[in-house]
Amino acid sequence: MASSSSHQAHGPFPSDPGGKPLDHEVPIRVVTEPSQLPVEFLNPSAAKQLIIGFDCEGVNLCRHGALCIMQLAFPDAIYLVDAIKGGESLIEACKPALESSYITKVIHDCKRDSEALYFQFGIRLHNVVDTQIAYSLIEEQEGRIRLPGDYISFVGLLADPRYCGNAVALTDLIITCDWHFVGNLINTATISYQFAPLACLIWRRKRFDALLRQDPMFWKHRPLSEMMIRAAADDVRFLLCIYYKMMEKLNERSLWYLAVRGALYSRCFCINENNYADWSHIPPIPDNLAIEDDVPEEEILYVLDVPPGKMGRVIGRRGASILSIKESCNAEIFFGGAKGPPDKAFIIGPVSQVRKAEAMLKGKMVDIY
């Protein structure tokens, strides 16, 4: 196996058969050649199924931007797949794994990452567990009402003590201490990753976000700096721990919704001329749910063309029109925005609610004389 640069990191990863998170150090490995990746990842099989944390970093990450790094979190290591140094052949070597049903990819908000993989490398991201979707499903199960467009951020997810340890106590630390003091505590290991995941991540993210604003091409720079390596690893190091805690909470109905919506969100911005015919099938309603009195409705993705000059009417003044539609329909509505595609609305949800949202959106486009 070719050598790869390695950095030590702390992170709670589930490593026993029962899915119990164990605290231990794991290396961060920068990958520039396929041979530096685990064989079981490169050659997916039913006999060796995997669950990995997954994320992508890039410059203006979407169909047109540049994908620079793919992060893969295994129980025993984090791999940073360097698309700049390794090139298209390295990402192509990862394609079977990213499209495989034998490898579960745990990610937070998969839409733009999937779009970049599809348009830049022809990869159809499959078998996704999106923690943003899972969080919403658990909130619904527990009777909490989510406002339209209110999606949990990854830092917000880390701050939830149900999923990432001692975050409640850390919130007070971050609020009451200045950033220089918190940084010194982290650098001197007074706060460790085992004790303070949120403090470490937010402190680094604060510095990192400032760098991104100053230098939008940040992820294209080589060689990778220590900050780049840490920032990339931070986005996946806790995903497996969060995954197992979420799986304990989700009931069978929610697990089906999670699989379906993960598939629909993955293809959301990957609009093509064949209406997604080259993508994997959407998971059908399981037999055990089909016999219930309250059978779940089929969920779909519908892409609505918005004529030139009509997007303003659809959105409304300060977003008032689209907010009222979202409040009236049990469906998610996304727009391509600046990253594109700019002239389409993407509607995801139960068939009846998608059709309702479609009709309301079209109503906003009608000229009134």
Side-chain angles (χ1 to χ4, degrees):
M1 177 178 288
S3 63
S4 61
S5 58
S6 182
H7 303 253
Q8 285 300 118
H10 299 267
F13 291 104
S15 61
D16 71 338
K20 301 298 183 182
L22 302 176
D23 292 339
H24 59 278
E25 292 188 356
V26 297
I28 304 171
R29 294 173 178 158
V30 178
V31 174
T32 57
E33 299 177 16
S35 60
Q36 296 167 330
L37 288 166
V39 173
E40 60 269 25
F41 174 80
L42 294 173
N43 302 288
S45 70
K48 187 65 175 178
Q49 299 192 35
L50 303 174
I51 301 170
I52 63 170
F54 180 73
D55 192 28
C56 298
E57 306 293 350
V59 175
N60 191 31
L61 194 62
C62 61
R63 65 185 62 198
H64 304 300
L67 190 154
C68 301
I69 295 176
M70 285 195 318
Q71 303 104 290
L72 312 172
F74 287 72
D76 58 353
I78 295 173
Y79 296 86
L80 305 183
V81 180
D82 191 341
I84 300 295
K85 296 282 285 186
E88 187 173 346
S89 61
L90 175 58
I91 305 302
E92 182 68 23
C94 298
K95 182 175 181 177
L98 299 180
E99 295 186 341
S100 175
S101 59
Y102 301 135
I103 299 181
T104 300
K105 279 71 69 174
V106 183
I107 184 172
H108 190 83
D109 191 4
C110 66
K111 296 188 294 296
R112 290 299 184 186
D113 294 39
S114 182
E115 180 188 21
L117 289 167
Y118 180 67
F119 284 103
Q120 295 178 38
F121 301 100
I123 294 173
R124 299 161 186 84
L125 190 62
H126 178 57
N127 194 16
V128 163
V129 170
D130 193 316
T131 54
Q132 191 174 73
I133 300 171
Y135 184 91
S136 296
L137 289 169
I138 293 170
E139 294 295 284
E140 291 175 15
Q141 274 187 199
E142 298 180 353
R144 285 181 282 275
I145 299 174
R146 181 174 65 86
L147 297 175
D150 183 19
Y151 305 106
I152 188 73
S153 69
F154 186 56
V155 171
L157 183 60
L158 288 176
D160 192 321
R162 294 175 296 173
Y163 306 113
C164 213
N166 301 309
V168 170
L170 298 173
T171 302
D172 292 336
L173 173 67
I174 293 166
I175 292 172
T176 57
C177 296
D178 64 54
W179 290 106
H180 179 71
F181 177 64
V182 174
N184 284 339
L185 290 178
I186 294 168
N187 284 337
T188 59
T190 304
I191 300 178
S192 69
Y193 270 103
Q194 289 94 331
F195 175 71
L198 183 61
C200 292
L201 192 148
I202 290 182
W203 176 73
R204 286 200 174 99
R205 180 66 63 179
K206 182 179 174 69
R207 297 197 307 165
F208 173 67
D209 287 347
L211 283 176
L212 276 184
R213 288 191 294 271
Q214 296 169 10
D215 181 12
M217 306 300 289
F218 179 84
W219 285 114
K220 277 195 169 183
H221 298 318
R222 295 297 180 274
L224 292 170
S225 68
E226 182 68 22
M227 170 169 276
M228 295 172 79
I229 291 169
R230 286 288 184 178
D234 278 344
D235 282 351
V236 294
R237 70 171 74 252
F238 301 108
L239 282 174
L240 292 182
C241 181
I242 292 169
Y243 166 82
Y244 281 102
K245 291 184 178 182
M246 286 183 159
M247 290 303 104
E248 292 176 354
K249 293 177 177 289
L250 290 163
N251 60 33
E252 290 188 13
R253 190 184 187 97
S254 292
L255 286 170
W256 176 72
Y257 282 131
L258 180 62
V260 169
R261 293 175 190 175
L264 295 175
Y265 278 52
S266 293
R267 69 191 67 190
C268 179
F269 293 135
C270 302
I271 181 68
N272 58 17
E273 296 178 355
N274 64 8
N275 196 29
Y276 304 105
D278 53 342
W279 287 71
S280 299
H281 294 299
I282 303 298
I285 299 173
D287 292 340
N288 61 318
L289 297 182
I291 61 175
E292 295 181 358
D293 293 335
D294 183 21
V295 178
E297 188 177 358
E298 177 189 1
E299 300 216 343
I300 62 171
L301 162 64
Y302 178 74
V303 183
L304 175 65
D305 291 321
V306 180
K310 302 294 185 181
M311 188 61 78
R313 290 188 182 183
V314 170
I315 302 298
R317 187 185 296 272
R318 296 182 179 178
S321 294
I322 190 62
L323 179 60
S324 68
I325 294 173
K326 289 181 177 181
E327 289 175 340
S328 302
C329 305
N330 183 25
E332 302 290 348
I333 305 173
F334 303 103
F335 298 96
K339 291 186 175 182
D343 57 348
K344 300 184 187 300
F346 301 85
I347 314 170
I348 295 175
V351 175
S352 61
Q353 296 302 306
V354 168
R355 297 305 173 211
K356 181 179 179 181
E358 175 193 0
M360 295 181 73
L361 287 167
K362 287 181 174 177
K364 296 293 183 181
M365 303 176 201
V366 175
D367 291 317
I368 300 176
Y369 297 97

